């Protein structure tokens, strides 16, 4: 027997507790649930009796109301006049029908009204009009009207044309007496049943109204035998009892309806009612068993908690380091405490190596954080803390943001491949930093495309001195790299301002060189002067529509858009139209990075001087756009394709933290249609561009969760997720874990 008893003490304790909990909790729950079901049944019976009394009061009120309503209708002068006519009079007939219709429209329980004139032998059916007794559609009620009745008002059932009807005849006169006319009020049985009765076959509850003989006045007629058994048992005004019908136990509540002499019943099958309580009891037993299992699991864990964590740690270290943890004599794994000792030493060594690697990559991390700051426009606390440690930008009084744009970028792209362009832009940034750092502090950031951002800070920076130094930067860049650049710079801004909006504004400022043709450092006040000179097209969307149609390759629509634009310019003065043409050609050059006949933006002026008329320029520009459309559709060479995809990937990585990053923005950056870059990216990577962006964001989140102590919300924002809920939903869908769970698994 002893061999079946575990040696470990914590397991023996666990098994003993299992037996105790099972013997105590499950019988206790069973007894409690049974007592509860008995009590609940009594309460249900009481509640049902209250409902029956309430339904009784409603029934008596409605039937008395209908009797009074019928008497008022019968006594109406227009109705009385027709009922007592000795012959048919159209005027009296119309007035009677109109009066009856007025009564029925205000009382929903009335289904129809019959009027019978015993002298003229005519009847009015309010729904179908007047007819003779011989032609009347409901002969059954006509026979009933002709018979003698009791001396008091009473509703009764009758069958007509296969349909059951509930009616009231007014007046009711004693036997042997006659009346010149009768009013028959037919009740809406369905509405009465819906209002007065309560039927729920799913729970076994049903309601019905019987007369003294057990005949059904209102309700279902599918258990007539049960009704005949209940009528003799209902002797009190109200009451309840249990009744067995066809081997099933029923709960019966009833109440008398006066003055009709009817009885309202509400019945329920005990087995259907008890099914809910049995289900409740079973759920309670399952809950108790689950609770017992949970408590036992907690006790089991608690009984071995002093050893289990060490054992798990040793197992994890062995899985991670494997053969490295074998002892010196190669006799197999070490003891657990030695495994832990040597494993921790190896982990510490790896942490030291990781720290060394992080120090070597500080410059890359710094540039990435600066790029995020500019693109997103705001700093989160961990990034700001890191940048304050790694840069001197925050030592100044404020921050100037500049943009260095490469002139004639299309020639620059043709001259250098993607990797060479990165190196040249790196050199341009280094030259700018070297010159400005002599007096102040500067950091250059490559944001992709034809420009770099330049962050400048320091104490007592005067714009005149900064402009002079930036002019030297332009000169040195041209001397060392043979690349001409245009620089624009902002006024000083606090570190907490939105850098994204400032960056966009300054980048647009560098474009003024094409308009003014001046080689200078452009400042924010230059933009105000430029805006004063602009005379916009009447429809600002015309140029956007033209660019959109060029990208979509719609030749006819491009010609139509040009016609509209040049039609507006024909109403301008020569100087204004020439200025507008310069802006339009510059926008097109900037959008597509070229025009086939123009090598650089500086060549636009010479193109305009070659034509004397707007129609000539329109024809030339239309041909240029056709060549651009052909070029966009034919850019499928493998080398060019790979370069485009590489540039797309680079742009995505540089702007991954931007929640507003879109495929339209990427297509604009590479000057290709959205449809084409989607197809091109799918061919190279065998995945969609949208999925690639989301995968890169998820990978960035994983890396930040593993290497930083930032909050989950900050990490989501820095990875380009617009909302916290979207971040959590997307991450869990991709990994099967929440961000917190992913971090905790380390």
């Amino acid at each position: 027997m002893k061999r079946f008893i575990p040696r470990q003490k914590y397991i023996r304790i666990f098994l003993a507790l299992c037996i105790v909990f099972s013997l105590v909790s499950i019988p206790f729950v069973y007894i409690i649930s049974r007592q509860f079901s008995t009590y609940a049944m009594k309460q249900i019976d009481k509640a049902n009796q209250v409902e029956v009394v309430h339904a009784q009061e409603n029934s008596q009120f409605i039937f008395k109301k209908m009797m009074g309503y019928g008497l008022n209708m019968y006594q109406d002068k227009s109705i009385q006049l027709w009922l007592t006519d000795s012959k048919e009079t159209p005027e009296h007939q119309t007035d009677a029908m109109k009066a009856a219709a007025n009564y029925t429209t205000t009382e929903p329980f009335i289904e129809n009204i019959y009027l019978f004139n015993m002298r003229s032998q005519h009847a009015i059916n309010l729904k179908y009009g007047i007819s003779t007794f011989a032609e009347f559609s409901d002969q059954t009620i006509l026979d009933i009207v002709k018979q003698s009745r009791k001396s008091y008002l009473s509703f009764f059932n009758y069958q007509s044309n296969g349909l059951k009807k509930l009616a009231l005849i007014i007046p009711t006169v004693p036997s042997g007496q006659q009346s010149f006319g009768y009013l028959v009020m037919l009740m809406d049985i369905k509405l009465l049943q819906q209002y007065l009765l309560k039927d729920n076959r799913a729970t076994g509850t049903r309601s019905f109204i019987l007369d003294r003989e057990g005949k059904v006045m209102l309700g279902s007629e599918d258990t007539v035998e049960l009704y005949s058994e209940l009528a003799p048992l209902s002797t009190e005004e109200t009451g309840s009892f249990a009744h067995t019908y066809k081997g099933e136990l029923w709960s019966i509540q009833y109440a008398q309806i006066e003055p009709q002499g009817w009885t309202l019943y509400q019945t329920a099958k005990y087995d259907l009612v008890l099914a809910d309580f049995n289900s409740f009891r079973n759920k309670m037993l399952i809950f108790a068993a689950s609770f017992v299992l949970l408590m036992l699991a907690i006790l089991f864990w608690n009984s071995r908690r002093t050893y289990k964590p060490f054992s798990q740690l040793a197992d994890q270290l062995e899985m991670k380091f494997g053969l490295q943890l074998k002892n010196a004599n190669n006799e197999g794994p070490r003891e657990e405490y030695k495994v832990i000792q040597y494993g921790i030493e190896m982990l510490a060594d790896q942490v030291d190596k990781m720290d060394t690697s992080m120090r070597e990559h500080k410059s890359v991390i710094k540039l990435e954080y600066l790029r995020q700051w500019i693109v997103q426009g705001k700093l989160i606390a961990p990034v700001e803390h890191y940048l304050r440690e790694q840069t001197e930008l925050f030592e100044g009084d404020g921050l100037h943001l500049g943009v260095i744009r490469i002139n004639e970028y299309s020639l620059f792209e043709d001259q250098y491949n993607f990797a060479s362009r990165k190196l040249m832009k790196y050199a341009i940034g280094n030259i700018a930093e070297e010159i400005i750092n002599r007096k102040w502090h500067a950091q250059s950031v490559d944001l992709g495309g034809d420009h770099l951002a330049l962050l400048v800070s320091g104490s007592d920076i005067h714009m005149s001195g900064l402009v002079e130094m930036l002019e030297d930067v332009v000169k040195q860049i041209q001397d060392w790299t043979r690349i001409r650049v245009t620089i624009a710079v902002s006024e000083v801004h606090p570190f907490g301002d939105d850098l994204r909006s400032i960056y966009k504004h300054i980048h647009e400022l560098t474009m003024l060189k094409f308009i003014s043709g001046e080689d200078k450092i452009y400042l924010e006040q230059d933009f105000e002067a430029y805006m004063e000179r602009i005379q916009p097209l009447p429809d600002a969307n015309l140029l956007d529509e033209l660019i959109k149609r060029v990208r979509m390759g719609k030749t006819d629509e491009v010609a139509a858009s040009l016609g509209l634009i040049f039609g507006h310019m024909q109403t301008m003065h020569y100087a204004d139209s020439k200025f507008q043409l310069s802006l339009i050609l510059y926008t097109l050059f900037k959008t597509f990075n070229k025009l086939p006949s123009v090598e650089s933006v500086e060549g636009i002026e010479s193109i305009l001087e070659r034509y004397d008329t707007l129609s000539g320029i329109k024809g030339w520009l239309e041909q240029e756009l056709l060549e651009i459309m052909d070029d966009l559709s034919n850019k499928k060479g493998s080398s060019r394709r790979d370069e485009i995809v590489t540039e797309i990937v680079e742009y995505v990585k540089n702007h991954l933290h931007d929640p507003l990053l879109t495929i339209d923005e990427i297509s604009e950056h590479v000057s290709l249609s959205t449809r084409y870059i989607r197809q091109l990216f799918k061919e190279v990577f065998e995945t969609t561009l949208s999925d690639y962006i989301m995968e890169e964001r998820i990978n960035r989140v994983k890396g930040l969760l593993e290497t930083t102590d930032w909050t989950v919300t900050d990490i989501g924002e820095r990875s380009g997720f617009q909302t916290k809920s979207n971040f959590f939903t997307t991450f869990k869908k991709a990994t099967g874990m929440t961000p917190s769970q992913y971090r905790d698994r380390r």
Side-chain angles (χ1 to χ4, degrees):
M1 187 67 182
K2 290 184 178 180
R3 62 180 179 177
F4 296 105
I5 300 176
R7 290 180 300 172
Q8 296 88 345
K9 185 175 181 180
Y10 69 89
I11 294 181
R12 294 200 300 271
I13 295 173
F14 171 71
L15 293 176
L17 289 174
C18 286
I19 296 172
V20 171
F21 270 95
S22 300
L23 293 176
V24 173
S25 60
I26 295 179
F28 175 76
V29 171
Y30 182 83
I31 294 172
I32 290 296
S33 62
R34 188 173 183 83
Q35 290 296 321
F36 174 76
S37 64
T38 302
Y39 171 77
M41 284 298 300
K42 292 180 180 178
Q43 295 300 316
I44 290 175
D45 286 341
K46 290 181 180 179
N48 287 340
Q49 188 63 37
V50 172
E51 287 186 5
V52 168
V53 172
H54 181 66
Q56 172 204 28
E57 294 172 352
N58 286 342
S59 302
Q60 292 180 160
F61 172 76
I62 289 175
F63 289 131
K64 288 179 180 179
K65 176 185 174 184
M66 290 298 100
M67 287 188 289
Y69 204 79
L71 289 172
N72 289 336
M73 193 186 312
Y74 177 76
Q75 294 171 1
D76 186 275
K77 292 181 178 180
S78 297
I79 294 175
Q80 279 288 317
L81 190 59
W82 183 85
L83 291 175
T84 57
D85 278 346
S86 59
K87 63 178 180 178
E88 277 301 302
T89 305
E91 293 83 0
H92 294 173
Q93 171 191 332
T94 302
D95 292 343
M97 293 181 67
K98 183 176 180 181
N102 289 338
Y103 281 102
T104 57
T105 55
T106 58
E107 181 50 61
F109 291 109
I110 299 177
E111 180 181 358
N112 200 359
I113 297 293
Y114 296 159
L115 299 176
F116 297 101
N117 188 323
M118 308 307 290
R119 289 180 172 181
S120 65
Q121 298 290 301
H122 281 76
I124 291 178
N125 182 330
L126 194 57
K127 289 185 177 180
Y128 303 108
I130 189 167
S131 64
T132 63
F133 280 4
E135 297 172 346
F136 188 63
S137 59
D138 193 347
Q139 291 294 320
T140 304
I141 194 66
L142 183 58
D143 293 339
I144 295 174
V145 168
K146 293 178 179 179
Q147 298 172 5
S148 59
R149 288 167 300 282
K150 296 180 180 180
S151 59
Y152 56 87
L153 296 172
S154 179
F155 288 91
F156 62 92
N157 277 331
Y158 75 97
Q159 295 284 337
S160 176
N161 299 324
L163 298 177
K164 179 181 178 181
K165 296 186 178 182
L166 181 65
L168 176 68
I169 299 177
I170 302 172
T172 301
V173 296
S175 175
Q177 297 185 14
Q178 294 183 350
S179 175
F180 293 115
Y182 295 92
L183 181 148
V184 178
M185 186 165 57
L186 300 181
M187 306 301 295
D188 189 332
I189 293 180
K190 291 184 179 179
L191 185 60
L192 284 172
Q193 291 181 162
Q194 180 181 350
Y195 185 75
L196 298 176
L197 303 184
K198 175 183 177 183
D199 275 356
N200 189 337
R201 298 302 175 92
T203 60
T205 302
R206 62 174 64 181
S207 299
F208 46 87
I209 296 177
L210 307 179
D211 64 5
R212 289 186 176 89
E213 288 74 29
K215 295 181 179 179
V216 181
M217 304 306 296
L218 285 177
S220 173
E221 299 188 14
D222 56 354
T223 52
V224 177
E225 295 178 1
L226 174 64
Y227 300 159
S228 61
E229 295 177 9
L230 295 180
L233 301 175
S234 309
T235 57
E236 304 291 335
E237 181 179 352
T238 61
S240 63
F241 56 88
H243 182 71
T244 301
Y245 174 69
K246 292 185 178 181
E248 295 179 325
L249 185 62
W250 293 65
S251 171
I252 312 294
Q253 283 80 29
Y254 68 91
Q256 301 289 341
I257 300 176
E258 297 297 341
Q260 301 301 318
W262 299 346
T263 305
L264 171 67
Y265 292 89
Q266 182 165 306
T267 66
K269 291 183 180 180
Y270 270 110
D271 57 347
L272 293 178
V273 177
L274 291 175
D276 292 335
F277 296 114
N278 293 332
S279 175
F280 169 76
R281 181 184 62 201
N282 294 335
K283 290 178 180 178
M284 286 289 292
L285 291 173
I286 294 172
F287 172 78
S290 301
F291 179 75
V292 168
L293 292 176
L294 176 62
M295 292 301 298
L296 292 175
I298 293 173
L299 290 171
F300 178 75
W301 169 82
N302 189 58
S303 65
R304 57 184 300 190
R305 70 184 185 279
T306 56
Y307 173 76
K308 185 67 175 180
F310 295 101
S311 178
Q312 290 177 336
L313 178 59
D315 292 341
Q316 291 176 1
L317 290 172
E318 283 186 336
M319 291 175 61
K320 184 172 184 63
F321 296 109
L323 297 176
Q324 299 179 48
L325 291 177
K326 283 190 175 181
N327 58 31
N329 297 326
N330 198 26
E331 296 177 354
R334 300 174 184 270
E335 296 294 332
E336 285 187 348
Y337 76 93
K338 291 185 178 180
V339 169
I340 295 173
Q341 176 185 350
Y342 289 106
I344 291 176
E345 291 176 358
M346 296 177 71
L347 286 174
D349 182 60
Q350 287 191 356
V351 170
D352 290 338
K353 292 179 180 178
M354 185 181 297
D355 184 58
T356 302
S357 175
M358 289 288 289
R359 286 196 298 270
E360 292 174 353
H361 291 82
K362 280 183 179 179
S363 60
V364 177
I365 297 172
K366 178 181 67 176
L367 289 176
E368 176 62 20
Y369 285 169
L370 289 172
R371 187 180 294 110
Q372 291 182 22
W373 185 13
I374 294 172
V375 173
Q376 287 200 338
K378 63 179 180 178
L379 278 173
I380 63 173
V383 172
E384 181 177 356
H385 178 73
Y386 184 87
L387 291 178
R388 285 184 180 276
E389 289 183 348
Q390 301 299 324
T391 70
E392 298 176 333
L393 290 175
F394 293 89
E395 296 178 4
D397 300 330
L399 191 67
H400 295 267
L401 192 148
V403 172
I404 304 174
R405 187 176 64 82
I406 300 172
N407 297 338
E408 302 177 1
Y409 189 70
S410 60
L411 296 178
F412 180 71
E413 280 189 309
D414 294 338
Q415 186 176 0
Y416 301 101
N417 60 26
F418 180 74
S420 299
R421 292 200 299 270
K422 294 287 291 183
L423 290 174
M424 295 303 295
K425 291 166 74 175
Y426 178 73
I428 292 172
N430 277 349
I431 292 172
E433 290 179 12
E434 182 70 23
I435 294 173
I436 297 176
N437 283 337
R438 296 171 186 171
K439 189 173 181 180
W440 299 306
H441 310 296
Q443 288 285 342
S444 64
V445 183
D446 182 3
L447 294 175
D450 62 351
H451 63 282
L452 297 88
L454 186 66
L455 300 175
V456 181
S457 72
S459 301
D460 300 326
I461 298 181
H462 298 288
M463 288 303 296
S464 58
L466 180 58
V467 169
E468 183 179 347
M469 188 168 288
L470 291 175
E471 289 173 347
D472 187 30
V473 169
V474 173
K475 180 178 180 300
Q476 294 297 330
I477 290 173
Q478 185 169 357
D479 290 344
W480 287 96
T481 65
R482 299 294 185 268
I483 297 173
R484 294 188 298 120
V485 298
T486 299
I487 298 179
V489 67
S490 72
E491 299 288 341
V492 64
H493 291 275
F495 292 103
D497 280 4
D498 183 4
L499 282 193
R500 179 185 177 91
S501 59
I502 299 171
Y503 154 68
K504 287 187 175 181
H505 176 62
I506 300 303
H507 178 254
E508 189 67 26
L509 200 58
T510 61
M511 310 300 181
L512 290 182
K513 181 178 180 181
F514 168 73
I515 305 301
S516 65
E518 296 181 76
D519 284 324
K520 58 177 285 187
I521 305 302
Y522 288 89
L523 307 177
E524 291 185 76
Q525 55 264 34
D526 295 326
F527 188 77
E528 299 174 2
Y530 157 70
M531 292 301 295
E532 292 176 358
R533 296 176 55 193
I534 292 180
Q535 181 181 349
L537 291 170
D539 187 351
N541 295 322
L542 287 177
L543 189 55
D544 292 338
E545 280 295 318
L546 175 62
I547 293 171
K548 179 180 178 182
R549 290 170 177 175
V550 170
R551 284 183 171 147
M552 295 174 68
K554 296 184 177 180
T555 306
D556 295 337
E557 294 183 9
V558 167
S561 294
L562 283 175
L564 289 174
I565 292 173
F566 278 82
H568 288 308
M569 285 193 293
Q570 287 175 349
T571 64
M572 300 180 182
H573 295 295
Y574 171 79
D576 293 334
S577 65
K578 186 176 180 181
F579 184 75
Q580 279 295 339
L581 278 171
S582 299
L583 290 178
I584 291 170
L585 293 178
Y586 172 73
T587 302
L588 293 173
F589 188 96
K590 173 188 169 186
T591 301
F592 299 108
N593 281 334
K594 67 174 184 178
L595 288 173
S597 301
V598 183
E599 293 294 332
S600 65
V601 292
E602 289 78 4
I604 292 176
E605 187 69 23
S606 62
I607 290 292
L608 295 178
E609 292 175 356
R610 286 163 44 188
Y611 294 92
D612 297 326
T613 64
L614 283 174
S615 61
I617 296 176
K618 176 177 177 293
W620 166 80
L621 181 56
E622 185 173 352
Q623 187 61 36
E624 295 288 297
L625 295 178
L626 289 176
E627 291 186 29
I628 290 175
M629 286 189 283
D630 290 339
D631 188 45
L632 290 177
S633 63
N634 294 328
K635 283 185 175 178
K636 296 184 179 179
S638 60
S639 59
R640 174 60 178 161
R641 182 187 67 175
D642 294 341
E643 184 172 342
I644 291 172
V645 171
T646 303
E647 189 166 359
I648 291 173
V649 170
E650 182 74 14
Y651 189 84
V652 168
K653 289 184 177 179
N654 288 340
H655 295 78
L656 200 59
H657 38 270
D658 183 3
L660 302 179
L661 176 65
T662 62
I663 297 179
D664 290 337
E665 181 181 338
I666 297 171
S667 66
E668 183 178 352
H669 171 71
V670 297
S671 301
L672 295 172
S673 68
T674 302
R675 179 180 179 183
Y676 178 67
I677 69 167
R678 287 179 190 269
Q679 178 183 351
L680 184 63
F681 198 89
K682 184 71 178 291
E683 290 175 358
V684 175
F685 281 90
E686 296 183 354
T687 185
T688 64
L689 182 52
S690 299
D691 290 344
Y692 174 78
I693 293 173
M694 187 56 63
E695 183 180 351
E696 286 297 306
R697 281 180 170 155
I698 294 296
N699 290 335
R700 172 167 290 185
V701 170
K702 290 179 180 178
L704 293 175
L705 288 171
E706 292 173 350
T707 59
T708 71
D709 292 327
W710 298 354
T711 65
V712 170
T713 302
D714 287 342
I715 289 174
E717 290 181 359
R718 306 313 291 184
S719 301
F721 290 94
Q722 287 185 314
T723 63
K724 184 176 180 180
S725 61
N726 174 254
F727 169 45
F728 274 68
T729 302
T730 304
F731 189 86
K732 187 167 185 180
K733 183 178 180 181
T735 64
M737 294 179 282
T738 65
S740 299
Q741 290 172 338
Y742 185 87
R743 171 176 276 170
D744 292 342
R745 75 182 181 84
R746 292 185 297 169

